[in-house]
Amino acid sequence: MMKSLQRILTVGVLLAVTVSASAAVLLRNDHPNVYYVKKGDTLWDISGRFLQHPWQWPELWQDNPEIDNPHLIYPGDEIRLSWVGGQPRLTVNHDNVEKTQLSDGTVKLTPRVRKLDREDAIPAISMSSIQSYLKQGQVVSRDEIDGAPYLVGGQDRRVVFGMGDTVYARDPVSQWKQLQRRYGFYRVGEEYVDPDSEEVLGYEARQVGLGSVLDQNDGMATLEVVRSSEDVRVDDRLFSQPDREVRAVLYPHAPDQKVEGRIIRFFDRISSVARHDVVVINRGKREGMEPGHVLDIYQEGEMVRDRQREEMVRLPRSRVGSMLLFRVFDKVSYGLIMESSRPIYMKDIVESPEGSY
């Protein structure tokens, strides 16, 4: 599973053919001229060695005829910065010599026979941070909850079940007209509410297990619990699990127009989040969001008293990080914090990168 997710989240994240943002591409003052890719790198981190804003990496590949198959980068590849017509360009050298940069700046060359396998390409972002959210997390509406099949019982009059148990479910709405081979068991929890409009944006549905259908008759489906991350319970909802890979090829880019929203949910954190944490924002497909969109994160300035004029004023807001959207639902989106200069809090503002609109 891990390798398949790495395969679909590789260099495609950074090597889009075009980028809609018009923001100027700014190199870091301490950027290298050459970097040798090593195992454990991510594409976002590599781009951060060259650029002040890592999501702008695709700009440096545009109109570059020297790049052969730019959608895969492997450990040992040489990434070189050059200048063409006064503009920076990046090239990749896939050769048969492994290069390791030593602490004193010298480069050790090791000849090798090299087999390039897509599964060996470096991932775009930290896979360990998002893999559980790619397929197991859902955001559903009240109508979807009310219309979903649900667990009614199982063996030995128990109300909680685990792997290997036989359970039974009903589908009073559609009577199993589109019976699937497998279903995920989901627990409905957090209600997502817009902090500004108070609109209910959806409900968090967390997968707690996976069931395989054994039989169906008289409106009752019999399933075996083939996997469980926690107890499966009576009243848990069933949602279909199609046999397909999660498609999450991300091309980092700014939204086509200015977008403003807020962070409305943390996972496994109480008061604040930081780099590589996952959050939920109150913007989704309805507002034009899509996987790969990059948003800056801001904190509102404090309210302070102007003692000279005896009035309260708000200090200017400040940028505290950036995020990359990787799952987008109708009214909310999941995003991975890519940068954070200080703790990020609930209701912090998310906005299209400056200069991109």
Side-chain angles (χ1 to χ4, degrees), residues 153-208:
Q155 299 168 322
D156 305 324
R157 299 184 180 180
R158 288 182 285 140
V159 294
V160 296
F161 310 94
M163 189 171 67
D165 287 339
T166 299
V167 296
Y168 306 97
R170 296 189 68 195
D171 182 10
V173 175
S174 65
Q175 298 296 321
W176 304 109
K177 288 181 179 178
Q178 295 182 336
L179 185 67
Q180 304 293 316
R181 187 173 68 88
R182 286 196 169 191
Y183 287 88
F185 300 113
Y186 285 83
R187 180 122 346 112
V188 177
E190 185 88 6
E191 180 183 69
Y192 294 150
V193 178
D194 190 293
D196 299 319
S197 68
E198 299 186 354
E199 176 189 6
V200 175
L201 304 175
Y203 297 83
E204 181 180 308
R206 185 180 76 258
Q207 189 184 94
V208 296

Coordinates of all heavy atoms in Angstrom, one line a residue, residues 153-208:
G153 N -26.2 -5.7 14.4 CA -25.8 -6.7 15.4 C -24.8 -7.7 14.9 O -24.3 -7.5 13.8
G154 N -24.5 -8.7 15.7 CA -23.5 -9.7 15.4 C -23.6 -10.9 16.2 O -24.7 -11.3 16.8
Q155 N -22.5 -11.5 16.5 CA -22.5 -12.8 17.2 C -22.6 -12.5 18.7 O -22.2 -11.5 19.3 CB -21.1 -13.5 17.0 CG -20.8 -13.8 15.5 CD -19.4 -14.2 15.3 OE1 -18.5 -13.6 15.9 NE2 -19.2 -15.2 14.5
D156 N -23.2 -13.5 19.4 CA -23.3 -13.6 20.8 C -23.9 -12.4 21.5 O -23.6 -12.0 22.6 CB -21.9 -13.8 21.4 CG -21.2 -15.0 20.8 OD1 -21.9 -16.0 20.6 OD2 -20.0 -15.0 20.6
R157 N -24.8 -11.7 20.8 CA -25.6 -10.6 21.4 C -24.6 -9.4 21.8 O -25.0 -8.6 22.6 CB -26.4 -11.0 22.6 CG -27.5 -12.0 22.2 CD -28.4 -12.3 23.4 NE -29.4 -13.3 23.0 CZ -30.3 -13.8 23.9 NH1 -30.3 -13.4 25.1 NH2 -31.2 -14.7 23.5
R158 N -23.5 -9.4 21.2 CA -22.5 -8.3 21.5 C -22.9 -7.0 20.7 O -23.6 -7.1 19.7 CB -21.1 -8.7 21.2 CG -20.5 -9.7 22.2 CD -19.1 -10.1 21.9 NE -19.0 -10.9 20.7 CZ -18.1 -10.8 19.7 NH1 -17.2 -9.8 19.8 NH2 -18.0 -11.6 18.7
V159 N -22.3 -5.9 21.2 CA -22.6 -4.6 20.5 C -21.3 -4.1 19.9 O -21.3 -3.0 19.3 CB -23.2 -3.6 21.4 CG1 -24.6 -4.0 21.8 CG2 -22.4 -3.3 22.7
V160 N -20.1 -4.7 20.3 CA -18.8 -4.3 19.7 C -18.2 -5.5 19.1 O -18.3 -6.6 19.6 CB -17.9 -3.6 20.7 CG1 -18.5 -2.3 21.2 CG2 -17.6 -4.6 21.9
F161 N -17.4 -5.3 18.0 CA -16.9 -6.4 17.2 C -15.5 -6.1 16.8 O -15.1 -4.9 16.7 CB -17.8 -6.8 16.0 CG -19.2 -6.9 16.4 CD1 -20.1 -5.9 16.4 CD2 -19.7 -8.1 16.9 CE1 -21.4 -6.0 16.7 CE2 -21.0 -8.3 17.3 CZ -21.9 -7.2 17.2
G162 N -14.7 -7.1 16.4 CA -13.4 -7.0 15.9 C -13.1 -7.9 14.7 O -14.0 -8.6 14.2
M163 N -11.8 -7.9 14.3 CA -11.4 -8.7 13.1 C -11.8 -10.2 13.3 O -11.6 -10.8 14.4 CB -9.9 -8.6 12.9 CG -9.4 -9.2 11.6 SD -7.7 -8.8 11.2 CE -6.9 -9.7 12.6
G164 N -12.4 -10.8 12.3 CA -12.8 -12.2 12.3 C -14.3 -12.4 12.7 O -14.8 -13.5 12.5
D165 N -14.9 -11.4 13.3 CA -16.3 -11.5 13.7 C -17.3 -11.4 12.5 O -17.0 -10.8 11.5 CB -16.7 -10.4 14.7 CG -16.0 -10.7 16.1 OD1 -15.7 -11.8 16.4 OD2 -15.9 -9.7 16.9
T166 N -18.4 -12.1 12.7 CA -19.5 -12.0 11.7 C -20.5 -10.9 12.2 O -20.9 -11.0 13.4 CB -20.2 -13.3 11.5 OG1 -19.2 -14.3 11.0 CG2 -21.3 -13.2 10.5
V167 N -20.9 -10.0 11.3 CA -21.8 -9.0 11.7 C -22.9 -8.9 10.7 O -22.8 -9.4 9.6 CB -21.1 -7.6 11.9 CG1 -20.1 -7.6 13.0 CG2 -20.4 -7.2 10.6
Y168 N -24.0 -8.2 11.0 CA -25.2 -8.1 10.1 C -25.6 -6.6 10.0 O -25.5 -5.8 10.9 CB -26.3 -8.9 10.7 CG -26.0 -10.3 11.0 CD1 -25.6 -10.7 12.3 CD2 -26.0 -11.3 10.0 CE1 -25.2 -12.0 12.6 CE2 -25.6 -12.6 10.3 CZ -25.2 -12.9 11.5 OH -24.9 -14.2 11.8
A169 N -26.0 -6.3 8.8 CA -26.3 -4.9 8.5 C -27.6 -4.8 7.7 O -27.9 -5.7 6.9 CB -25.2 -4.2 7.7
R170 N -28.3 -3.7 7.8 CA -29.5 -3.4 7.0 C -29.3 -2.2 6.1 O -28.6 -1.3 6.4 CB -30.7 -3.2 8.0 CG -31.1 -4.3 8.9 CD -32.4 -4.1 9.6 NE -33.5 -4.0 8.6 CZ -34.7 -3.5 8.9 NH1 -34.9 -3.0 10.1 NH2 -35.7 -3.5 8.0
D171 N -30.1 -2.2 5.0 CA -30.1 -1.1 4.1 C -31.6 -0.8 3.8 O -32.1 -1.1 2.7 CB -29.3 -1.5 2.8 CG -29.3 -0.3 1.8 OD1 -29.7 0.8 2.2 OD2 -28.8 -0.6 0.7
P172 N -32.3 -0.2 4.7 CA -33.7 0.0 4.5 C -34.1 1.0 3.4 O -35.2 1.0 2.9 CB -34.2 0.6 5.8 CG -32.9 1.2 6.4 CD -31.8 0.3 6.0
V173 N -33.1 1.8 2.9 CA -33.4 2.8 1.9 C -33.4 2.1 0.5 O -34.3 2.2 -0.3 CB -32.4 4.0 1.9 CG1 -32.7 4.9 0.8 CG2 -32.6 4.7 3.3
S174 N -32.3 1.5 0.1 CA -32.1 0.9 -1.3 C -32.2 -0.6 -1.3 O -32.2 -1.2 -2.4 CB -30.8 1.3 -1.9 OG -29.7 0.8 -1.2
Q175 N -32.4 -1.2 -0.1 CA -32.5 -2.7 0.0 C -31.4 -3.4 -0.8 O -31.6 -4.4 -1.4 CB -33.9 -3.1 -0.6 CG -35.1 -2.5 0.2 CD -35.2 -3.1 1.6 OE1 -34.9 -4.2 1.8 NE2 -35.5 -2.2 2.5
W176 N -30.2 -2.9 -0.7 CA -29.0 -3.6 -1.2 C -29.1 -3.8 -2.7 O -28.6 -4.7 -3.3 CB -28.7 -4.9 -0.6 CG -28.6 -4.9 0.9 CD1 -29.5 -5.4 1.8 CD2 -27.5 -4.4 1.7 NE1 -29.1 -5.2 3.1 CE2 -27.8 -4.5 3.0 CE3 -26.3 -3.7 1.3 CZ2 -27.0 -4.1 4.1 CZ3 -25.5 -3.3 2.4 CH2 -25.8 -3.5 3.7
K177 N -29.7 -2.8 -3.4 CA -29.9 -2.9 -4.9 C -28.5 -2.9 -5.6 O -28.4 -3.4 -6.7 CB -30.8 -1.8 -5.4 CG -32.2 -2.0 -5.1 CD -33.1 -0.9 -5.6 CE -34.6 -1.1 -5.3 NZ -35.4 0.0 -5.8
Q178 N -27.5 -2.2 -5.0 CA -26.2 -2.1 -5.5 C -25.2 -2.7 -4.5 O -24.3 -2.0 -4.1 CB -25.8 -0.7 -5.9 CG -26.7 -0.1 -7.0 CD -26.3 1.3 -7.4 OE1 -25.8 2.0 -6.6 NE2 -26.7 1.7 -8.6
L179 N -25.4 -4.0 -4.2 CA -24.6 -4.6 -3.2 C -23.1 -4.7 -3.7 O -22.8 -5.1 -4.8 CB -25.1 -6.0 -3.0 CG -24.4 -6.8 -1.8 CD1 -24.7 -6.2 -0.5 CD2 -24.9 -8.3 -1.9
Q180 N -22.2 -4.2 -2.8 CA -20.8 -4.2 -3.1 C -20.1 -5.4 -2.5 O -20.7 -6.1 -1.6 CB -20.1 -3.0 -2.6 CG -20.8 -1.7 -3.1 CD -20.5 -1.5 -4.6 OE1 -19.5 -1.7 -5.1 NE2 -21.6 -1.1 -5.3
R181 N -18.9 -5.8 -2.9 CA -18.2 -6.9 -2.3 C -17.6 -6.5 -1.0 O -17.5 -7.4 -0.1 CB -17.0 -7.3 -3.3 CG -16.3 -8.6 -2.9 CD -15.3 -9.0 -3.9 NE -14.2 -8.0 -4.1 CZ -13.1 -8.1 -3.3 NH1 -12.9 -9.0 -2.4 NH2 -12.1 -7.2 -3.5
R182 N -17.2 -5.3 -0.8 CA -16.6 -4.8 0.4 C -17.2 -3.5 0.9 O -17.6 -2.7 0.0 CB -15.1 -4.7 0.3 CG -14.4 -6.0 0.3 CD -12.9 -5.8 0.6 NE -12.2 -7.1 0.9 CZ -11.0 -7.2 1.3 NH1 -10.3 -6.1 1.6 NH2 -10.5 -8.4 1.5
Y183 N -17.3 -3.3 2.2 CA -17.7 -2.0 2.7 C -16.8 -1.6 3.8 O -16.2 -2.5 4.6 CB -19.1 -2.2 3.3 CG -20.2 -2.3 2.3 CD1 -20.6 -3.5 1.8 CD2 -20.9 -1.1 1.8 CE1 -21.6 -3.6 0.8 CE2 -21.9 -1.2 0.8 CZ -22.2 -2.5 0.4 OH -23.2 -2.6 -0.6
G184 N -16.6 -0.3 4.0 CA -15.9 0.2 5.1 C -16.9 0.5 6.2 O -18.1 0.9 6.0
F185 N -16.5 0.2 7.5 CA -17.4 0.5 8.6 C -16.9 1.9 9.1 O -15.7 2.1 9.4 CB -17.2 -0.5 9.8 CG -17.6 -1.9 9.4 CD1 -16.7 -2.9 9.3 CD2 -18.9 -2.2 9.1 CE1 -17.0 -4.2 9.0 CE2 -19.3 -3.5 8.8 CZ -18.4 -4.5 8.7
Y186 N -17.8 2.9 9.2 CA -17.5 4.2 9.5 C -18.2 4.7 10.7 O -19.4 4.4 10.9 CB -17.8 5.2 8.3 CG -16.8 5.1 7.2 CD1 -17.0 4.1 6.2 CD2 -15.8 6.0 7.1 CE1 -16.1 4.0 5.2 CE2 -14.9 5.9 6.0 CZ -15.0 4.9 5.1 OH -14.1 4.8 4.1
R187 N -17.5 5.5 11.6 CA -18.1 6.1 12.7 C -18.3 7.6 12.5 O -17.3 8.3 12.2 CB -17.2 5.9 13.9 CG -17.7 6.5 15.2 CD -17.9 5.5 16.4 NE -17.9 4.1 16.0 CZ -16.9 3.3 16.4 NH1 -15.9 3.8 17.2 NH2 -16.9 2.0 16.1
V188 N -19.5 8.0 12.5 CA -19.8 9.5 12.3 C -19.5 10.2 13.6 O -20.0 9.9 14.7 CB -21.3 9.7 11.8 CG1 -21.6 11.1 11.7 CG2 -21.5 8.9 10.6
G189 N -18.7 11.3 13.4 CA -18.4 12.1 14.6 C -18.5 13.6 14.4 O -19.6 14.1 14.3
E190 N -17.4 14.3 14.3 CA -17.3 15.7 14.3 C -18.2 16.4 13.3 O -18.3 16.0 12.1 CB -15.9 16.1 14.0 CG -15.6 17.6 14.1 CD -15.2 18.1 15.5 OE1 -15.0 17.2 16.3 OE2 -15.1 19.3 15.7
E191 N -19.0 17.4 13.7 CA -19.8 18.2 12.8 C -19.0 19.4 12.4 O -18.5 20.1 13.3 CB -21.1 18.6 13.5 CG -22.0 19.5 12.7 CD -23.2 20.0 13.4 OE1 -23.0 20.8 14.4 OE2 -24.3 19.5 13.1
Y192 N -18.8 19.6 11.1 CA -18.0 20.7 10.6 C -19.0 21.9 10.4 O -19.9 21.9 9.7 CB -17.4 20.4 9.3 CG -16.3 19.3 9.4 CD1 -16.0 18.5 8.3 CD2 -15.5 19.2 10.6 CE1 -15.0 17.5 8.4 CE2 -14.5 18.2 10.7 CZ -14.3 17.4 9.6 OH -13.3 16.4 9.7
V193 N -18.7 23.0 11.2 CA -19.5 24.2 11.1 C -18.6 25.4 10.7 O -17.5 25.6 11.2 CB -20.2 24.5 12.5 CG1 -21.0 25.8 12.4 CG2 -21.0 23.3 12.9
D194 N -19.1 26.2 9.7 CA -18.4 27.4 9.3 C -18.4 28.4 10.5 O -19.4 28.8 11.0 CB -19.0 28.0 8.1 CG -18.2 29.1 7.4 OD1 -18.0 30.1 8.1 OD2 -17.7 28.9 6.3
P195 N -17.2 28.8 10.9 CA -17.1 29.7 12.0 C -17.7 31.1 11.7 O -18.0 31.9 12.7 CB -15.6 29.8 12.4 CG -14.9 29.5 11.1 CD -15.8 28.5 10.4
D196 N -17.8 31.5 10.5 CA -18.3 32.8 10.1 C -19.8 32.8 9.8 O -20.6 33.6 10.4 CB -17.6 33.4 8.9 CG -16.1 33.5 9.2 OD1 -15.7 34.0 10.3 OD2 -15.3 33.2 8.3
S197 N -20.3 31.9 9.0 CA -21.7 31.8 8.6 C -22.5 30.9 9.5 O -23.7 30.9 9.4 CB -21.8 31.4 7.1 OG -21.4 30.0 7.0
E198 N -21.9 30.0 10.2 CA -22.5 29.0 11.1 C -23.2 27.9 10.2 O -24.0 27.1 10.7 CB -23.5 29.6 12.1 CG -22.8 30.5 13.1 CD -23.7 31.0 14.1 OE1 -24.9 30.7 14.1 OE2 -23.2 31.7 15.1
E199 N -22.9 27.8 8.9 CA -23.5 26.8 8.1 C -22.8 25.4 8.5 O -21.6 25.3 8.7 CB -23.2 27.1 6.6 CG -23.6 26.0 5.7 CD -23.1 26.2 4.2 OE1 -22.3 27.1 4.0 OE2 -23.5 25.4 3.4
V200 N -23.6 24.4 8.5 CA -23.1 23.0 8.7 C -22.5 22.6 7.4 O -23.2 22.4 6.4 CB -24.2 22.0 9.2 CG1 -23.6 20.6 9.3 CG2 -24.8 22.5 10.5
L201 N -21.2 22.3 7.4 CA -20.5 22.0 6.1 C -20.4 20.5 5.9 O -20.0 20.1 4.8 CB -19.1 22.6 6.2 CG -19.0 24.1 6.4 CD1 -17.6 24.5 6.6 CD2 -19.7 24.8 5.3
G202 N -20.7 19.6 6.9 CA -20.6 18.2 6.7 C -20.3 17.5 8.0 O -20.2 18.2 9.1
Y203 N -20.1 16.2 7.9 CA -19.8 15.4 9.1 C -18.6 14.5 8.9 O -18.5 13.9 7.8 CB -21.0 14.6 9.5 CG -22.3 15.4 9.9 CD1 -23.1 15.9 8.9 CD2 -22.5 15.7 11.2 CE1 -24.2 16.6 9.3 CE2 -23.6 16.5 11.6 CZ -24.5 16.9 10.6 OH -25.6 17.7 10.9
E204 N -17.8 14.5 9.8 CA -16.6 13.6 9.7 C -17.0 12.1 9.9 O -17.7 11.8 10.8 CB -15.6 14.0 10.7 CG -14.3 13.2 10.7 CD -13.3 13.7 11.8 OE1 -13.1 14.9 11.9 OE2 -12.9 12.8 12.6
A205 N -16.6 11.3 8.9 CA -16.8 9.9 9.0 C -15.5 9.2 9.0 O -14.8 9.2 8.0 CB -17.7 9.4 7.9
R206 N -15.2 8.5 10.1 CA -13.8 7.9 10.3 C -14.0 6.4 10.1 O -14.8 5.7 10.8 CB -13.3 8.2 11.7 CG -11.9 7.7 12.0 CD -11.4 8.1 13.4 NE -12.0 7.2 14.4 CZ -13.1 7.6 15.2 NH1 -13.6 8.8 15.0 NH2 -13.5 6.8 16.1
Q207 N -13.1 5.8 9.3 CA -13.2 4.4 9.0 C -12.6 3.7 10.2 O -11.5 3.9 10.6 CB -12.5 4.0 7.8 CG -12.7 2.5 7.4 CD -11.8 2.1 6.2 OE1 -10.8 1.6 6.3 NE2 -12.4 2.4 5.0
V208 N -13.4 2.7 10.8 CA -12.9 1.9 11.9 C -12.7 0.5 11.6 O -12.2 -0.3 12.4 CB -13.9 2.0 13.1 CG1 -14.0 3.5 13.6 CG2 -15.3 1.5 12.7

